[in-house]
């Protein structure tokens, strides 16, 4: 088998966001969690059959530069071994990085490796940076990144704890991360169309400029860019570009028409929601769900005292799951309650206790028959996925923007586990109930497409 697009994402939810857009663009897509370090299992090999795109999710956004480069190159080698025609380095639409990296050093390393192996191939000497996602308010003009109507450095991102963005000029930002010169494709060139954009890229390439920041004001600009760069060995950017690339692969004859790229096997098994997110949107979703469904509140202080609290949660969930669910177990709490627990236990210990409890609940209850699982919270999702030993997810239909249903093959299970991993602020108020309604189940294959 041979895939068309191989993507390397610098974090987990960013990977899902891109994978979701690729499916919406018409590609069958799998997300790998980390680079497969050993030969694929028979389940993994089977799942990769008939797939058009693979997104490898790394944790390379704010780790040391050397680790980010090593992991990204390992992902590149693995994706090229799967036959990827184009490689996409995915980062956040707010260009989250520091003066040391990791966007510049990773792009440089990927380009060097591709140059060494694909010297004859068009575009192996240059790549583009397209972070913009206009429908989400991320635009770029004269190389300056805007979040809504604010410049990046005035958007709140200047206070980010790990990757504060104090400069909106991406040419300047990237120039601090790479020893090479950085170029720009400005809006007036994009407005003249694909040929003018290609000519500008070519002229910059002739000057030896390998990194090119691209302006993007609207969907039309993204379409022009997608057509101009579809044959480059490496592209980089946010998930917005991912939405427009599949149409270009079809134009090039690399990708056929896929009728239902997000089609999953009919789901079966009881329905469970685990929530470790305390974000505003999740708190609203928890309240909405509890108005009509059963739930158990996990208390981190009680978890710290003894195992009894977790045993009570398990007993409660088992009782409700006997009828198929859905049931909710949640640590989600108002900020003052979280703060009080953090003051007593320490922030890290409080978080770890909750994440470990969610992991135990997931692995125990999935082993006992849960087949449809929603997890709310980015870190919480990571904890559950690792407790379940999941290494790959087939991406299904979108539930709400940025959150698709996925399926994971589990050893010894005929039907894969259906899993929706929701980062804190995503999803409408009725997310927890709506998600189960739109998931096709065995014996009920009709569903409402989003
Ligand atoms: P989000 O996507 O909303 O940021 P995360 O799961 O990434 O959600 O992060 C939430 C963090 O808060 C997790 O580490 C979780 O363990 C922790 N947490 C959740 N509930 C509580 C609680 N009641 N007390 C203390 N920490 C909590």
């Amino acid at each position: 088998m041979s895939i068309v697009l191989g993507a390397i994402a610098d974090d987990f939810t960013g990977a899902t966001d891109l994978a979701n857009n690729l499916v919406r663009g018409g590609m069958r897509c799998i997300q790998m969690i980390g680079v497969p370090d050993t030969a694929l299992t028979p389940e993994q090999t089977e799942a990769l059959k008939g797939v058009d795109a693979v997104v490898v999710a790394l944790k390379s956004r704010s780790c040391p530069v050397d680790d980010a480069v090593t992991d990204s190159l390992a992902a590149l080698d693995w994706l090229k071994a799967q036959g990827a025609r184009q490689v996409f380095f995915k980062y956040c639409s707010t260009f989250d990085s520091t003066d040391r990296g990791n966007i510049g050093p990773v792009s440089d390393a990927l380009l060097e490796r591709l140059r060494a192996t694909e010297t004859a191939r068009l575009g192996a000497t240059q790549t583009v940076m397209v972070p913009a996602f206009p429908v989400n308010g991320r635009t770029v003009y004269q190389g300056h990144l805007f979040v809504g109507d604010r410049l990046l450095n005035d958007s709140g991102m200047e206070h980010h704890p790990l990757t504060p963005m104090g400069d909106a000029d991406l040419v300047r930002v990237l120039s601090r991360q790479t020893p090479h010169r950085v170029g720009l494709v400005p809006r007036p060139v994009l407005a003249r169309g694909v040929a003018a954009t290609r000519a500008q890229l070519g002229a910059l390439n002739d000057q030896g400029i390998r990194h090119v920041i691209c302006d993007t004001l609207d969907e039309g600009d993204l379409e022009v860019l997608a057509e101009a760069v579809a044959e480059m060995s490496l592209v980089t950017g946010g998930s917005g570009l991912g939405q427009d690339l599949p149409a270009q692969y079809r134009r090039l004859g690399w990708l056929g028409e896929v009728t239902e790229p997000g089609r999953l096997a009919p789901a079966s098994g009881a329905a469970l929601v685990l929530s470790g997110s305390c974000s505003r949107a999740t708190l609203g979703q928890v309240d909405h769900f509890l108005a009509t469904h059963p739930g158990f509140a996990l208390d981190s202080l009680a978890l710290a005292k003894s195992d009894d609290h977790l045993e009570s949660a398990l007993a409660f969930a088992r009782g409700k799951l006997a009828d198929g669910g859905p049931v909710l177990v949640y640590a989600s709490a108002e900020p003052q309650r979280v703060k009080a627990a953090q003051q007593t236990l320490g922030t890290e210990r409080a978080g770890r206790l909750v994440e470990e409890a969610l992991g135990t609940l997931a692995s125990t209850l999935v082993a006992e028959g849960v087949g449809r699982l929603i997890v709310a919270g980015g870190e919480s999702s990571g904890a559950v996925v690792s407790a379940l030993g999941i290494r790959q997810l087939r991406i299904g239909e979108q539930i709400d923007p940025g959150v698709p249903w996925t399926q994971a093959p589990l050893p010894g299970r005929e039907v894969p586990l259906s899993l929706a991993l929701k980062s804190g602020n995503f999803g409408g108020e009725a997310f927890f109930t709506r998600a189960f309604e739109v998931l096709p189940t065995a014996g009920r294959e009709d569903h409402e497409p989003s």
Side-chain angles (χ1 to χ4, degrees), residues 276-279 300 331 333 338 341 350-351 354-355 377-380 423-424:
S277 158
C278 302
S279 300
S300 47
V338 175
V354 168
E355 286 167 30
E379 292 297 324
S380 307
S423 78

Side-chain angles (χ1 to χ4, degrees), residues 138-336:
R138 270 63 157 169
T139 53
V140 180
Y141 183 62
Q142 298 296 0
H144 289 66
L145 180 53
F146 288 80
V147 179
D149 61 358
R150 312 307 301 168
L151 278 164
L152 177 65
N153 56 302
D154 191 22
S155 68
M157 276 304 293
E158 69 274 26
H159 302 306
H160 191 284
L162 299 176
T163 50
M165 300 302 292
D167 187 357
D169 181 340
L170 297 186
V171 173
R172 208 160 48 195
V173 169
L174 191 61
S175 296
R176 290 192 283 260
Q177 298 179 27
T178 170
H180 305 285
R181 277 192 301 152
V182 178
L184 174 72
V185 174
R187 178 81 199 323
V189 171
L190 289 173
R192 299 210 319 270
V194 176
T197 302
R198 284 205 182 117
Q200 170 84 359
L201 288 169
L204 292 170
N205 198 37
D206 292 344
Q207 297 167 40
I209 293 182
R210 53 165 79 184
H211 297 303
V212 185
I213 303 284
C214 297
D215 275 0
T216 315
L217 289 192
D218 53 30
E219 292 301 305
D221 288 348
L222 267 188
E223 280 170 33
V224 168
L225 281 169
E227 186 167 347
V229 306
E231 289 175 87
M232 278 185 161
S233 296
L234 175 71
V235 293
T236 85
S239 63
L241 181 64
Q243 207 162 279
D244 289 291
L245 284 172
Q248 297 306 321
Y249 302 146
R250 280 192 290 275
R251 176 183 61 80
L252 291 166
W254 296 356
L255 177 70
E257 285 294 337
V258 182
T259 40
E260 287 185 282
R263 188 178 180 83
L264 299 176
S268 68
L272 172 68
V273 185
L274 296 174
S275 179
S277 158
C278 302
S279 300
R280 225 24 38 235
T282 307
L283 294 178
Q285 290 155 356
V286 167
D287 283 346
H288 187 274
F289 184 88
L290 291 176
T292 48
H293 294 81
F296 185 99
L298 279 180
D299 176 4
S300 47
L301 293 168
L303 286 171
K305 275 201 195 104
S306 79
D307 291 341
D308 293 354
H309 188 55
L310 184 55
E311 284 304 325
S312 306
L314 270 170
F316 178 89
R318 282 187 182 116
K320 306 296 175 193
L321 290 168
D323 309 331
V327 58
L328 166 68
V329 181
Y330 61 103
S332 315
E334 292 293 334
Q336 27 335 347

